[in-house]
Amino acid sequence: MHAFDVLGDPVRRRILELLADGEQPAGAISEVVRAEFGISQPAVSQHLKVLREAGFAAVRADGARRLYAVDAAPLQEVDAWLERFRGFWTQRLDALATELARGRRKRSDHSTPEEDP
């Protein structure tokens, strides 16, 4: 499965967001996702399986619990693909930063107290 096919699903993106905060037990992930998306526990397990099989998530056993964590390798593939598009928003962000700096300078120029003669 291609990385964007995996990331195209909002449930899987949400799971990755949860895992970005650190390793999480399957039960905690399931609880959040079930509450937010109204899906069953087996459906959450299927999404975790897709993430695991696509290499986006790693799992390890801790007694009876299964702990999931992000595996960054596929995200690096996505980052590499996005690289050729960064120029489109980087230029705009640079221009925005310039305009914000101009606005701050103008406000500070107008807020300086007038000197008495």
Side-chain angles (χ1 to χ4, degrees):
M1 185 177 281
H2 189 272
F4 287 106
D5 294 327
V6 174
L7 296 175
D9 187 279
V11 173
R12 291 191 288 265
R13 285 194 311 269
R14 180 63 176 127
I15 291 171
L16 286 173
E17 289 170 0
L18 294 169
L19 295 177
D21 292 334
E23 192 175 59
Q24 301 283 325
I29 295 166
S30 182
E31 186 176 314
V32 171
V33 171
R34 289 174 64 199
E36 291 181 8
F37 291 91
I39 63 176
S40 67
Q41 186 279 325
V44 176
S45 292
Q46 273 303 117
H47 286 291
L48 286 167
K49 180 180 178 183
V50 169
L51 288 170
R52 230 179 26 252
E53 289 178 351
F56 281 87
V59 64
R60 71 178 182 86
D62 180 30
R65 297 185 326 159
R66 298 292 174 254
L67 299 172
Y68 283 82
V70 170
D71 188 337
L75 294 172
Q76 292 168 347
E77 175 188 332
V78 171
D79 185 57
W81 187 86
L82 286 171
E83 182 61 37
R84 65 181 143 167
F85 299 100
R86 282 204 175 85
F88 292 112
W89 65 79
T90 302
Q91 292 171 336
R92 289 182 179 100
L93 290 174
D94 290 345
L96 175 62
T98 300
E99 290 303 314
L100 290 171
R102 283 183 186 151
R104 282 192 296 270
R105 277 196 303 273
K106 285 181 183 178
R107 280 195 305 277
S108 68
D109 289 346
H110 294 304
S111 65
T112 56
E114 297 281 329
E115 292 182 16
D116 290 352

Short mmCIF file of all heavy atoms in Angstrom, two decimals, residues 1-2 9 11 13 21 25 27-28 32-35 50 55 63-64 68 70 77 80 92 100 106 108-109 111 114:
data_model
loop_
_atom_site.label_atom_id
_atom_site.label_comp_id
_atom_site.label_asym_id
_atom_site.label_seq_id
_atom_site.Cartn_x
_atom_site.Cartn_y
_atom_site.Cartn_z
N MET A 1 0.85 -1.17 0.00
CA MET A 1 0.00 0.00 0.00
C MET A 1 0.90 1.24 0.00
O MET A 1 1.87 1.31 0.74
CB MET A 1 -0.91 -0.03 1.24
CG MET A 1 -1.91 1.09 1.26
SD MET A 1 -3.07 1.03 2.67
CE MET A 1 -4.21 -0.20 2.10
N HIS A 2 0.58 2.21 -0.81
CA HIS A 2 1.35 3.45 -0.92
C HIS A 2 1.11 4.32 0.32
O HIS A 2 0.04 4.29 0.92
CB HIS A 2 0.93 4.20 -2.18
CG HIS A 2 1.80 5.36 -2.50
ND1 HIS A 2 1.58 6.61 -1.97
CD2 HIS A 2 2.91 5.47 -3.26
CE1 HIS A 2 2.51 7.43 -2.40
NE2 HIS A 2 3.33 6.76 -3.19
N ASP A 9 -6.71 8.08 4.96
CA ASP A 9 -7.81 7.76 5.86
C ASP A 9 -7.72 8.60 7.13
O ASP A 9 -6.69 8.59 7.80
CB ASP A 9 -7.77 6.27 6.22
CG ASP A 9 -8.98 5.87 7.02
OD1 ASP A 9 -8.98 6.12 8.25
OD2 ASP A 9 -9.92 5.35 6.42
N VAL A 11 -9.02 8.22 10.07
CA VAL A 11 -8.82 7.44 11.29
C VAL A 11 -7.34 7.12 11.46
O VAL A 11 -6.77 7.28 12.54
CB VAL A 11 -9.68 6.16 11.29
CG1 VAL A 11 -9.32 5.27 12.48
CG2 VAL A 11 -11.16 6.49 11.28
N ARG A 13 -4.81 8.74 10.14
CA ARG A 13 -4.09 9.98 10.45
C ARG A 13 -4.23 10.34 11.92
O ARG A 13 -3.27 10.73 12.57
CB ARG A 13 -4.59 11.14 9.57
CG ARG A 13 -4.12 11.06 8.14
CD ARG A 13 -4.35 12.36 7.39
NE ARG A 13 -5.68 12.92 7.53
CZ ARG A 13 -6.70 12.66 6.71
NH1 ARG A 13 -6.54 11.82 5.70
NH2 ARG A 13 -7.88 13.21 6.91
N ASP A 21 2.68 11.70 20.02
CA ASP A 21 2.92 12.13 21.40
C ASP A 21 3.72 11.10 22.20
O ASP A 21 4.06 11.33 23.35
CB ASP A 21 1.59 12.40 22.12
CG ASP A 21 0.87 13.62 21.55
OD1 ASP A 21 1.55 14.51 21.00
OD2 ASP A 21 -0.36 13.66 21.66
N PRO A 25 -0.67 2.52 24.48
CA PRO A 25 -1.27 1.18 24.47
C PRO A 25 -2.46 1.14 23.50
O PRO A 25 -3.16 2.14 23.31
CB PRO A 25 -1.73 0.98 25.91
CG PRO A 25 -1.70 2.32 26.56
CD PRO A 25 -0.85 3.22 25.75
N GLY A 27 -5.31 -0.11 23.81
CA GLY A 27 -6.59 0.22 24.44
C GLY A 27 -6.83 1.72 24.51
O GLY A 27 -7.96 2.18 24.29
N ALA A 28 -5.81 2.50 24.80
CA ALA A 28 -5.96 3.96 24.87
C ALA A 28 -6.23 4.53 23.48
O ALA A 28 -7.06 5.43 23.32
CB ALA A 28 -4.71 4.59 25.48
N VAL A 32 -9.88 6.52 22.34
CA VAL A 32 -9.96 7.86 21.73
C VAL A 32 -10.61 7.78 20.35
O VAL A 32 -11.53 8.54 20.04
CB VAL A 32 -8.55 8.50 21.62
CG1 VAL A 32 -8.59 9.77 20.79
CG2 VAL A 32 -7.99 8.78 23.00
N VAL A 33 -10.15 6.85 19.53
CA VAL A 33 -10.64 6.75 18.16
C VAL A 33 -12.11 6.35 18.14
O VAL A 33 -12.90 6.89 17.36
CB VAL A 33 -9.76 5.78 17.34
CG1 VAL A 33 -10.36 5.50 15.98
CG2 VAL A 33 -8.35 6.36 17.19
N ARG A 34 -12.50 5.44 19.00
CA ARG A 34 -13.91 5.02 19.06
C ARG A 34 -14.79 6.19 19.45
O ARG A 34 -15.87 6.39 18.88
CB ARG A 34 -14.08 3.86 20.04
CG ARG A 34 -13.47 2.57 19.51
CD ARG A 34 -13.50 1.46 20.51
NE ARG A 34 -14.89 1.12 20.81
CZ ARG A 34 -15.27 0.45 21.89
NH1 ARG A 34 -14.38 0.05 22.76
NH2 ARG A 34 -16.53 0.17 22.08
N ALA A 35 -14.35 7.01 20.40
CA ALA A 35 -15.13 8.17 20.84
C ALA A 35 -15.23 9.23 19.74
O ALA A 35 -16.28 9.83 19.54
CB ALA A 35 -14.51 8.78 22.10
N VAL A 50 -3.24 -2.01 9.50
CA VAL A 50 -2.82 -1.37 8.25
C VAL A 50 -1.58 -0.51 8.50
O VAL A 50 -0.61 -0.56 7.74
CB VAL A 50 -3.97 -0.52 7.65
CG1 VAL A 50 -3.46 0.37 6.51
CG2 VAL A 50 -5.10 -1.41 7.16
N GLY A 55 4.19 -0.13 7.71
CA GLY A 55 5.43 0.34 8.31
C GLY A 55 5.34 1.66 9.04
O GLY A 55 6.35 2.19 9.51
N GLY A 63 3.65 -7.44 28.57
CA GLY A 63 2.69 -8.31 29.25
C GLY A 63 1.53 -8.57 28.30
O GLY A 63 1.72 -8.95 27.16
N ALA A 64 0.33 -8.31 28.79
CA ALA A 64 -0.86 -8.51 27.97
C ALA A 64 -1.15 -7.31 27.06
O ALA A 64 -1.98 -7.40 26.16
CB ALA A 64 -2.07 -8.77 28.86
N TYR A 68 2.00 0.71 20.90
CA TYR A 68 2.25 1.17 19.53
C TYR A 68 3.08 2.45 19.56
O TYR A 68 2.94 3.28 20.46
CB TYR A 68 0.93 1.44 18.80
CG TYR A 68 0.25 0.17 18.35
CD1 TYR A 68 -0.53 -0.58 19.22
CD2 TYR A 68 0.41 -0.29 17.05
CE1 TYR A 68 -1.14 -1.75 18.81
CE2 TYR A 68 -0.19 -1.45 16.62
CZ TYR A 68 -0.96 -2.17 17.51
OH TYR A 68 -1.56 -3.33 17.09
N VAL A 70 5.15 5.34 16.57
CA VAL A 70 5.37 5.74 15.18
C VAL A 70 6.68 5.15 14.69
O VAL A 70 7.68 5.14 15.41
CB VAL A 70 5.42 7.29 15.05
CG1 VAL A 70 5.90 7.71 13.67
CG2 VAL A 70 4.07 7.90 15.36
N GLU A 77 9.63 9.04 3.51
CA GLU A 77 9.26 8.90 2.09
C GLU A 77 8.27 10.00 1.70
O GLU A 77 8.40 10.62 0.65
CB GLU A 77 8.64 7.52 1.87
CG GLU A 77 8.11 7.28 0.47
CD GLU A 77 7.33 5.96 0.37
OE1 GLU A 77 7.64 5.03 1.14
OE2 GLU A 77 6.44 5.90 -0.47
N ALA A 80 10.10 13.31 1.53
CA ALA A 80 10.90 13.42 0.31
C ALA A 80 10.01 13.78 -0.88
O ALA A 80 10.38 14.60 -1.73
CB ALA A 80 11.65 12.12 0.05
N ARG A 92 5.75 32.02 0.00
CA ARG A 92 4.62 32.76 0.57
C ARG A 92 4.83 33.02 2.05
O ARG A 92 4.50 34.08 2.56
CB ARG A 92 3.33 32.01 0.32
CG ARG A 92 2.92 32.03 -1.14
CD ARG A 92 1.59 31.31 -1.35
NE ARG A 92 1.20 31.36 -2.73
CZ ARG A 92 1.35 30.38 -3.60
NH1 ARG A 92 1.91 29.25 -3.22
NH2 ARG A 92 0.96 30.51 -4.84
N LEU A 100 4.82 41.05 8.00
CA LEU A 100 4.62 41.16 9.45
C LEU A 100 5.69 42.04 10.07
O LEU A 100 5.41 42.87 10.95
CB LEU A 100 4.61 39.78 10.10
CG LEU A 100 3.40 38.91 9.78
CD1 LEU A 100 3.62 37.50 10.31
CD2 LEU A 100 2.13 39.51 10.35
N LYS A 106 6.25 49.72 11.48
CA LYS A 106 5.36 50.87 11.36
C LYS A 106 4.68 51.19 12.69
O LYS A 106 4.57 52.34 13.08
CB LYS A 106 4.31 50.62 10.28
CG LYS A 106 4.85 50.73 8.89
CD LYS A 106 3.76 50.49 7.86
CE LYS A 106 4.34 50.53 6.46
NZ LYS A 106 3.33 50.26 5.44
N SER A 108 5.78 50.45 15.70
CA SER A 108 6.76 50.96 16.67
C SER A 108 7.18 52.38 16.31
O SER A 108 7.45 53.20 17.20
CB SER A 108 7.97 50.04 16.78
OG SER A 108 8.73 50.07 15.60
N ASP A 109 7.22 52.73 15.02
CA ASP A 109 7.54 54.10 14.61
C ASP A 109 6.47 55.08 15.06
O ASP A 109 6.76 56.19 15.47
CB ASP A 109 7.71 54.19 13.09
CG ASP A 109 8.97 53.51 12.59
OD1 ASP A 109 9.84 53.19 13.43
OD2 ASP A 109 9.07 53.27 11.36
N SER A 111 4.42 54.65 17.62
CA SER A 111 4.16 54.60 19.06
C SER A 111 5.26 55.28 19.87
O SER A 111 5.14 55.37 21.08
CB SER A 111 3.99 53.15 19.53
OG SER A 111 5.19 52.45 19.36
N GLU A 114 6.55 61.72 21.17
CA GLU A 114 7.07 62.92 20.51
C GLU A 114 7.97 63.64 21.51
O GLU A 114 7.68 63.74 22.69
CB GLU A 114 5.92 63.84 20.11
CG GLU A 114 4.97 63.20 19.10
CD GLU A 114 5.51 63.25 17.69
OE1 GLU A 114 6.24 64.19 17.36
OE2 GLU A 114 5.18 62.33 16.91
#
